[in-house]
Amino acid sequence: MKQNQNEHLSQEAIRIHHLVKQLSTNLGECVCLAVEQDYTVVYVHVADGPGQMLRTTQRIGSQAPMHCTGVGKVILSEFPESRIDEMIRLKGLTRYTSNTLVTKEMLLNELQLIRKRGYGYDNEECELGARCIAFPLRDYSGKIIAALSVTGPLGRMTDDFINSCFRTILETVQDISYQLGYHG
């Protein structure tokens, strides 16, 4: 029985890997999956866009702050305020660029917007010259357990580009959430 469960999980992981790689290939940009661990973003899957000379710094296993990354803010959007307070107490709201959200009020306003829209952005908040759009990945209960982002240089990640590929990204996010058991 346990071997069948492990085989099923391996098949799901392969399907998710394929979906992430396919999205990266189709868009020509980096696609990342990230989870939260100890109030830090940890990248668990990264697919670089094919043939791009300008790349982002995300790598599997690398960590990033939650308050200034698209994936981090999407995950934070489901946290109660008490957990956000704890994250701020433990990690702070370090300024990485002039666009970084460095007050609780700024962060809470951004999280409210993410909850309303259903997705988030990183507009040069963690790295100058990099922009991303991020979406929640949900499990069978509807809980956000990870996030997916499409990341690239500011010159390529324009509003026009994001608008043109929004539906494709959303469909991939829905497919991955479905693989994780979400049927909402």
Side-chain angles (χ1 to χ4, degrees):
M1 175 95 154
K2 186 165 180 129
Q3 185 172 352
N4 286 343
Q5 286 176 329
N6 288 340
E7 286 175 16
H8 178 71
L9 289 174
S10 295
Q11 291 170 354
E12 297 303 320
I14 290 168
R15 285 188 199 110
I16 291 169
H17 169 80
H18 175 72
L19 289 167
V20 169
K21 187 68 178 157
Q22 183 179 12
L23 182 62
S24 177
T25 299
N26 289 347
L27 301 182
E29 295 298 347
C30 180
V31 176
C32 302
L33 290 181
V35 297
E36 178 265 337
Q37 183 177 20
D38 299 325
Y39 296 114
T40 300
V41 169
V42 178
Y43 292 96
V44 295
H45 188 57
V46 178
D48 283 323
Q52 297 293 357
M53 289 182 61
L54 295 175
R55 296 182 188 272
T56 59
T57 59
Q58 294 96 343
R59 295 291 168 249
I60 293 173
S62 67
Q63 298 180 353
M66 293 189 76
H67 73 287
C68 60
T69 57
V71 289
K73 291 185 294 181
V74 163
I75 294 169
L76 279 175
S77 72
E78 195 169 74
F79 281 23
E81 192 169 341
S82 61
R83 284 199 67 201
I84 293 168
D85 288 338
E86 184 177 359
M87 182 208 64
I88 292 170
R89 183 177 58 78
L90 294 172
K91 300 292 185 175
L93 297 174
T94 303
R95 179 180 300 280
Y96 292 90
T97 74
S98 61
N99 294 336
T100 305
L101 306 175
V102 293
T103 69
K104 178 182 173 183
E105 181 182 1
M106 291 169 72
L107 180 59
L108 290 177
N109 288 339
E110 179 75 5
L111 298 179
Q112 179 70 21
L113 187 57
I114 291 168
R115 285 189 285 276
K116 184 178 178 182
R117 280 192 308 232
Y119 59 92
Y121 289 102
D122 169 354
N123 285 305
E124 294 187 284
E125 295 165 45
C126 192
E127 292 179 65
L128 285 176
R131 185 175 191 213
C132 85
I133 184 169
F135 290 83
L137 297 173
R138 298 180 184 277
D139 70 3
Y140 68 95
S141 69
K143 181 180 183 228
I144 297 172
I145 60 167
L148 176 142
S149 67
V150 176
T151 306
L154 200 58
R156 292 196 309 252
M157 290 295 293
T158 63
D159 289 340
D160 287 342
F161 174 78
I162 291 171
N163 289 335
S164 72
C165 62
F166 188 89
R167 171 78 54 210
T168 302
I169 300 168
L170 185 59
E171 288 171 358
T172 300
V173 165
Q174 290 169 340
D175 286 348
I176 292 171
S177 288
Y178 181 81
Q179 297 299 321
L180 296 170
Y182 180 65
H183 298 286

